[in-house]
Amino acid sequence: MTRFAVTLVSLLLLLGCSSSDGGGGSTPKPSSIVFVADAAPSGASVTLREKSLTNGELVLEVVAKGVSDVYGVAFRLSYDPAVAQLASLEPGALWGSPAPIAMASEKTPGLLVAVVSERGSAKGLVADDAVVATVTLKLTQAAETPISFVSYRSGVVGSDGERAAGVSFAGGALVKQ
């Protein structure tokens, strides 16, 4: 009889562990946040591309495409300050040696002001799917927010010191999946 009781208890435990929530329904999975880039504009552009999204941190690459004379790139990104905060800005692979100037500020919460630029006299670089900068944002909550360039305050500057004409900007958004 003892062997029967042990077998019965084992089966009941196995059945209890394999059942769902006891109510017959499935437990909903918590939603996760993903970065979705906006569609890349045709022609010369600067866009955002996800490098990584881990617990509490989103790393974005600022990518220039079809720009033939890049001396520097200045941009502003806007996002919900309750969701993200600037952690760092690093120059991208486009730049050679010596390292370019790379500065970022978030004096207004939710507005990143950044510049990455050559120093002194230098030839403009050709950027065709080239990473200009890497922006790391600290995520303070798993919530949706657009991450958008402020286009009229962003631009590519050529080696002649003039703003490159016809360069479009496209951002993206954090969305729940």
Side-chain angles (χ1 to χ4, degrees):
M1 191 68 156
T2 307
R3 186 173 174 192
F4 176 73
V6 171
T7 304
L8 183 60
V9 169
S10 297
L11 286 173
L12 289 173
L13 284 173
L14 183 61
L15 183 61
C17 291
S18 66
S19 68
S20 61
D21 60 0
S26 63
T27 305
K29 293 181 182 178
S31 61
S32 61
I33 297 293
V34 297
F35 178 77
V36 177
D38 291 342
S42 60
S45 65
V46 176
T47 61
L48 294 178
R49 177 171 65 201
E50 178 187 324
K51 182 174 182 181
S52 67
L53 176 58
T54 58
N55 293 336
E57 189 174 84
L58 171 63
V59 180
L60 295 170
E61 293 177 325
V62 179
V63 180
K65 296 178 184 175
V67 186
S68 60
D69 183 24
V70 179
Y71 184 84
V73 178
F75 59 93
R76 291 182 186 214
L77 285 177
S78 66
Y79 41 83
D80 184 343
V83 175
Q85 299 170 350
L86 172 65
S88 67
L89 170 81
E90 298 294 328
L94 172 67
W95 314 99
S97 184
I101 297 168
M103 297 183 297
S105 173
E106 190 185 41
K107 288 183 181 175
T108 302
L111 182 64
L112 165 63
V113 179
V115 64
V116 182
S117 177
E118 290 282 10
R119 304 168 187 240
S121 63
K123 288 180 68 174
L125 302 169
V126 175
D128 195 19
D129 200 31
V131 178
V132 172
T134 301
V135 175
T136 302
L137 298 173
K138 176 184 172 191
L139 301 179
T140 56
Q141 60 178 304
E144 295 184 340
T145 182
I147 301 175
S148 306
F149 283 102
V150 180
S151 296
Y152 72 95
R153 301 288 295 195
S154 300
V156 176
V157 176
S159 58
D160 60 1
E162 297 294 320
R163 185 178 182 155
V167 178
S168 301
F169 288 81
L174 283 174
V175 297
K176 289 187 178 182
Q177 185 178 38

